[in-house]
Amino acid sequence: MHDISHLNERQREAVTTTEGPLLVLAGAGSGKTAVLTERCAMIIRQGTPPWAVLAITFTNKAAKEIKERLVRLLGKEGGDVWAMTFHAACVRILRREIAALGYNRSFTVYDTDDQKRVMKEVLKTLNIDEKRVSPQAVLSLIGKAKDSERDPKALAASAPDDYFTKLSAECYALYQKRLFDANALDFDDILALTVRLFRQEPEVLRYYQRRFSYILIDEYQDTNMLQYSLVSMLAAGHRNLCVVGDDDQSIYGFRGATIENILSFEKHYPEAKVVRLEQNYRSTGAILDTANRVIAKNMGRKGKTLWTGNGPGDPVRLTVARSENEEARFISETVLSGVSEGASYRDYCILYRMNAQSGRLETQLRMSGIPYKVVGGTRFYDRAEVKDMMAYLQIIHNPHDDLRLTRIINTPARGIGGKGVAVLQAMAARDGVSCFEVAEQADTYPELGRLAKTLTTFTREIRALGKLSGAVSLTDFYDAVLETSGYAKMLRDKDDEESRGRLENVMELKSSLQSYQENAEEASLGGFLDETALFTDLDKYEDADNTVTLMTIHAAKGLEFPSVFLVGMEEGIFPGSRSFLDPAAIEEERRLCYVAVTRAEKRLYVLCAEERLLYGQTSHNPPSRFIAEMGLEPAGRVPCAPAGSPFSDLPFSRNARRPERSAPRKAPGGLMPDITPEPSRKTAKALTLAKGDTVTHKRFGRGLVLTVTPMGDDAMLEIAFDENGTRKLMRNFAAPFLEA
């Protein structure tokens, strides 16, 4: 008997509806992962073999969580469920079936950086100046073409009079040829080729239709047209399709996701049952009321109202700052105050609409001694030395990958310069083979001259490593690659700080190999390359570090934090100015706001500024329309806008008096002043203070130390100044300005 008594009534309804199409509208924090897992377990306990269940998620992290829960519920057989992302499922299918499309099963997956490199080569071949035609713009149009199942000819025919479309179609054709010749796929190809495979090979489609008796799709509101086609074909026979999603959290339109997939589910499956999960287990009542008010303004939604048994909690706080500096200071002070009262840094998350907003926030956090991490910065796998070693592994696995070959054929230096690589590429193009094949037979190409011996030695080493990869553990194999290639020796010989850091990253890749080897069902070099190719920023997010998290709202989807700061709530920033003339775009921005609000568990701080320096220009934008839609009122000691300013339209700021410009700017609560430390011989260790000490600050004057709160190697000082009020400062930063 499958016990689901711990679920609420609506959750139980979703879990026990195992046959036919089912739409689960799962609000934020409503326990949808538990529903997905319990539903899988219910199906398996009713007699369906686990390998006949396909559970698609949007992140590898979510897929891993579902598998772990299933193993806890069902034992070892729970791990046999196909719980994975769309791309991972399609790669697994293509590894078995792609020969029907003319590819080799050892194909490589190109990331966005690889795509750009190929496109730049394409533009160069076609004599197109990339300063005039952006490689990224062409790739974007190609991606949209693949999503709508258009080949280069169909793309050109879609807008015959449009110069850019015609040009992009020409680039598209050559780009795909380059990928095919390299036995490589980009991310869009993974889906597009799987759909093409199913359309061209009916027997292959029937095999997978029979294999997967039950299909569950998470985050259905974020699916694109290719994913919709893929799911529709697989579910066409049995129609045991369960989709879980929230139309109010559809925020990836810019990636090709279409909210219409979830809104029209009942149209495509008229017999579908609909279950709404509206009880939220994450947030307080005040936070949910704010979320419900703002999303209610959207017209394109199915409609639901979140509720919680958690109690009302703290009111949502709106802070109006005079500038982005005061906005950042307020956040720093709030974090420091919370930590001094027992909170952890990891409890706090700062969300913004654009990555460009993080700069001032990072500066203030550093000044205040607050540890932080930015999610969405340079990924580990994007570092040059890691990409170099990955290129070695990819060439060993797929020698026809010219892009990766040319990256590392002279790294470390082997005397094969740019001219040598150009000759190699020219010979390969002339003979219609890969660069590796030319290099392997270099002694038969007089054009390569003295490079022949070097090239043949290199290819013999790669072939030998290829044989070794299946004979020893992946970590031992990686050690051999490091030494045979000479890459580790190159970094050791340089013996400078930068090279030592790069060597550490190269060795950290070995840790990734070891982790994969310990957790994979059947560890292989190809499996590791697939896993890393499909890795996302969200998959790498870990909350183990005790740091404040900074990220875009898009990156935060699926995460939750006790306290959230939502910054930059001004028209033109959030919502962005590009959405002003498009009602559908405004609705997506509003859904993004809803997602931001529902990341908060206990406390939500909404911040806007009267003026903001961004992209080198100071703007005075009106407050975001979402503030009024949330029904928020100001709280705390914050400078409000004067009558006549853009902020005077807010009901709470009308006729508020603005401090005189001649007066020193005071941060809300009096946190760190926006000043640069002067050179001083005084060190933080030399500044020993205790409660009751009298101090003199170079800017704030005479003050009395109220509290000294130790924080690791630092301490937070609370000082009551005679003329500047009570301020909180980090001791190490304040040392150059204080005299005891």
Side-chain angles (χ1 to χ4, degrees):
M1 180 68 179
H2 186 58
D3 182 17
I4 54 173
S5 58
H6 58 287
L7 301 179
N8 65 41
E9 183 179 352
R10 295 281 78 79
Q11 290 174 329
R12 290 196 294 272
E13 183 180 4
V15 168
T16 55
T17 306
T18 58
E19 304 304 309
L22 172 67
L23 169 60
V24 180
L25 291 172
S30 62
K32 68 180 176 66
T33 303
V35 168
L36 275 168
T37 307
E38 295 287 358
R39 193 171 187 277
C40 285
M42 175 73 75
I43 290 167
I44 293 167
R45 281 179 171 159
Q46 288 176 347
T48 301
W51 47 260
V53 178
L54 174 63
I56 295 293
T57 69
F58 264 76
T59 67
N60 297 298
K61 188 176 182 180
K64 182 181 178 182
E65 182 181 355
I66 288 175
K67 274 202 171 186
E68 289 173 347
R69 290 193 187 194
L70 284 172
V71 169
R72 288 198 295 269
L73 285 170
L74 301 171
K76 187 178 179 180
E77 69 171 346
D80 293 333
V81 171
W82 272 46
M84 58 191 71
T85 65
F86 269 108
H87 286 87
C90 289
V91 164
R92 183 177 289 193
I93 291 169
L94 292 174
R95 288 289 178 205
R96 172 177 169 153
E97 313 287 354
I98 200 170
L101 300 178
Y103 289 81
N104 186 289
R105 292 201 292 181
S106 64
F107 62 82
T108 299
V109 177
Y110 279 0
D111 61 20
T112 53
D113 184 55
D114 297 325
Q115 289 178 262
K116 288 179 184 176
R117 288 181 63 195
V118 175
M119 183 52 68
K120 287 184 177 183
E121 292 177 3
V122 165
L123 293 174
K124 185 177 180 181
T125 301
L126 297 176
N127 294 316
I128 299 171
D129 185 357
E130 67 176 81
K131 293 180 180 178
R132 186 170 59 89
V133 177
S134 163
Q136 186 56 53
V138 177
L139 286 168
S140 178
L141 187 57
I142 291 173
K144 292 176 182 177
K146 290 181 180 180
D147 183 37
S148 57
E149 299 186 60
R150 291 176 177 171
D151 62 13
K153 289 183 179 178
L155 176 60
S158 67
D161 298 325
D162 183 77
Y163 172 76
F164 180 72
T165 301
K166 182 180 178 181
L167 189 68
S168 296
E170 188 178 358
C171 294
Y172 183 7
L174 183 54
Y175 171 79
Q176 285 304 116
K177 184 180 185 304
R178 292 284 174 88
L179 263 61
F180 183 82
D181 290 345
N183 196 35
L185 280 59
D186 65 20
F187 262 53
D188 295 313
D189 285 329
I190 293 172
L191 299 177
L193 291 181
T194 307
V195 170
R196 187 197 302 175
L197 173 73
F198 286 165
R199 295 203 192 285
Q200 292 182 192
E201 305 292 331
E203 284 303 313
V204 174
L205 173 59
R206 277 192 286 273
Y207 168 80
Y208 287 100
Q209 285 176 332
R210 290 192 297 267
R211 178 185 179 113
F212 300 124
S213 306
Y214 294 88
I215 300 174
L216 300 89
I217 311 294
D218 192 14
E219 305 286 7
Y220 193 65
Q221 77 281 349
D222 293 329
T223 53
N224 60 27
M225 292 309 299
L226 272 177
Q227 290 160 340
Y228 168 79
S229 298
L230 187 70
V231 171
S232 298
M233 285 190 283
L234 285 173
H238 52 71
R239 295 176 77 83
N240 290 329
L241 173 63
C242 169
V243 300
V244 182
D246 183 1
D247 50 312
D248 291 334
Q249 296 188 70
S250 179
I251 60 173
Y252 293 117
F254 67 98
R255 292 183 185 171
T258 171
I259 192 174
E260 187 61 29
N261 287 349
I262 194 168
L263 294 179
S264 63
F265 185 79
E266 294 160 273
K267 176 182 176 183
H268 298 296
Y269 299 90
E271 74 275 33
K273 184 172 185 177
V274 180
V275 177
R276 285 174 167 80
L277 304 182
E278 297 178 304
Q279 182 175 359
N280 176 284
Y281 294 93
R282 174 190 301 160
S283 306
T284 64
I287 291 169
L288 291 186
D289 287 346
T290 301
N292 286 332
R293 280 193 293 268
V294 71
I295 200 62
K297 301 295 182 181
N298 269 6
M299 302 298 292
R301 61 190 297 257
K302 284 187 166 292
K304 63 183 176 304
T305 302
L306 297 183
W307 62 277
T308 185
N310 293 339
D314 295 343
V316 175
R317 174 169 179 168
L318 171 65
T319 296
V320 182
R322 285 179 57 186
S323 69
E324 76 284 350
N325 292 329
E326 289 189 353
E327 179 184 69
R329 292 190 193 109
F330 171 81
I331 292 171
S332 294
E333 180 189 52
T334 303
V335 171
L336 289 173
S337 179
V339 170
S340 70
E341 293 171 4
S344 299
Y345 290 116
R346 68 169 65 90
D347 294 340
Y348 296 93
C349 177
I350 305 172
L351 297 180
Y352 37 78
R353 181 65 181 84
M354 303 173 291
N355 280 308
Q357 292 172 254
S358 72
R360 179 60 226 174
L361 296 165
E362 291 186 63
T363 299
Q364 183 62 49
L365 292 174
R366 285 196 300 270
M367 289 171 60
S368 301
I370 297 174
Y372 70 91
K373 61 182 173 186
V374 180
V375 175
T378 301
R379 295 196 314 155
F380 174 74
Y381 288 101
D382 287 339
R383 300 181 188 279
E385 59 275 12
V386 177
K387 288 184 79 71
D388 286 344
M389 290 314 303
M390 288 296 295
Y392 270 104
L393 299 182
Q394 287 151 341
I395 281 296
I396 292 167
H397 183 66
N398 173 22
H400 300 294
D401 188 346
D402 286 357
L403 188 71
R404 270 58 181 267
L405 180 73
T406 54
R407 179 183 181 95
I408 49 87
I409 198 168
N410 199 42
T411 305
R414 298 182 175 90
I416 308 170
K419 290 183 179 179
V421 171
V423 172
L424 189 66
Q425 291 174 318
M427 296 301 98
R430 186 192 69 186
D431 293 352
V433 296
S434 69
C435 288
F436 190 91
E437 290 172 286
V438 172
E440 204 164 25
Q441 303 294 326
D443 52 3
T444 66
Y445 287 86
E447 296 89 345
L448 291 170
R450 61 178 180 80
L451 294 180
K453 184 177 180 180
T454 301
L455 290 170
T456 53
T457 299
F458 172 78
T459 57
R460 280 198 298 269
E461 290 173 349
I462 295 297
R463 290 294 189 189
L465 288 168
K467 293 178 181 178
L468 185 66
S469 67
V472 299
S473 70
L474 286 177
T475 49
D476 288 345
F477 160 70
Y478 184 69
D479 287 339
V481 175
L482 279 176
E483 297 309 318
T484 302
S485 67
Y487 201 93
K489 183 178 184 300
M490 173 187 74
L491 295 176
R492 285 195 296 263
D493 288 349
K494 289 184 179 179
D495 196 29
D496 54 37
E497 186 174 351
E498 180 183 353
S499 298
R500 286 192 291 272
R502 294 180 65 195
L503 184 59
E504 288 175 2
N505 288 333
V506 165
M507 298 312 298
E508 181 60 25
L509 182 57
K510 181 179 178 180
S511 300
S512 298
L513 272 161
Q514 182 173 343
S515 177
Y516 162 77
Q517 186 172 264
E518 291 171 353
N519 294 291
E521 296 174 12
E522 295 182 14
S524 66
L525 176 57
F528 174 73
L529 294 175
D530 284 347
E531 182 175 281
T532 53
L534 303 177
F535 198 75
T536 68
D537 282 339
L538 190 53
D539 289 321
K540 78 172 183 178
Y541 174 77
E542 297 289 346
D543 59 4
D545 297 334
N546 189 19
T547 60
V548 174
T549 300
L550 285 77
M551 62 172 72
T552 65
I553 303 169
H554 282 101
K557 191 165 179 292
L559 302 178
E560 55 193 47
F561 300 87
S563 297
V564 169
F565 298 96
L566 179 53
V567 305
M569 292 293 289
E570 297 123 41
E571 291 286 301
I573 294 179
F574 193 25
S577 56
R578 293 182 180 180
S579 65
F580 286 174
L581 299 179
D582 184 353
I586 283 291
E587 293 219 340
E588 178 152 330
E589 290 283 291
R590 189 175 283 112
R591 292 193 294 270
L592 192 58
C593 182
Y594 174 83
V595 167
V597 170
T598 54
R599 298 312 93 198
E601 297 174 340
K602 297 178 180 178
R603 287 167 293 278
L604 174 65
Y605 303 87
V606 178
L607 297 104
C608 57
E610 295 178 42
E611 63 180 38
R612 184 176 300 276
L613 179 62
L614 194 63
Y615 301 121
Q617 294 185 332
T618 299
S619 59
H620 298 80
N621 294 334
S624 171
R625 67 192 72 186
F626 301 148
I627 290 176
E629 293 173 0
M630 291 178 187
L632 299 182
E633 295 183 358
R637 288 200 303 156
V638 290
C640 293
S645 81
F647 283 72
S648 63
D649 291 335
L650 284 173
F652 54 78
S653 64
R654 189 170 293 119
N655 299 323
R657 183 176 179 183
R658 183 173 183 162
E660 294 296 328
R661 281 289 185 182
S662 58
R665 282 190 176 182
K666 293 185 180 180
L671 187 66
M672 203 71 59
D674 184 18
I675 48 181
T676 303
E678 299 171 359
S680 172
R681 294 182 180 179
K682 187 189 302 182
T683 65
K685 291 183 179 179
L687 184 66
T688 303
L689 296 174
K691 179 180 178 180
D693 286 351
T694 299
V695 296
T696 301
H697 191 282
K698 291 184 179 180
R699 180 170 178 181
F700 303 135
R702 186 173 175 273
L704 179 69
V705 177
L706 301 180
T707 60
V708 178
T709 306
M711 292 185 177
D713 295 330
D714 205 347
M716 183 173 70
L717 310 175
E718 186 176 12
I719 305 174
F721 291 100
D722 294 343
E723 298 180 0
N724 284 279
T726 301
R727 293 177 178 268
K728 294 176 181 177
L729 306 93
M730 294 305 294
R731 183 190 62 195
N732 291 352
F733 178 81
F737 306 99
L738 282 174
E739 294 288 345

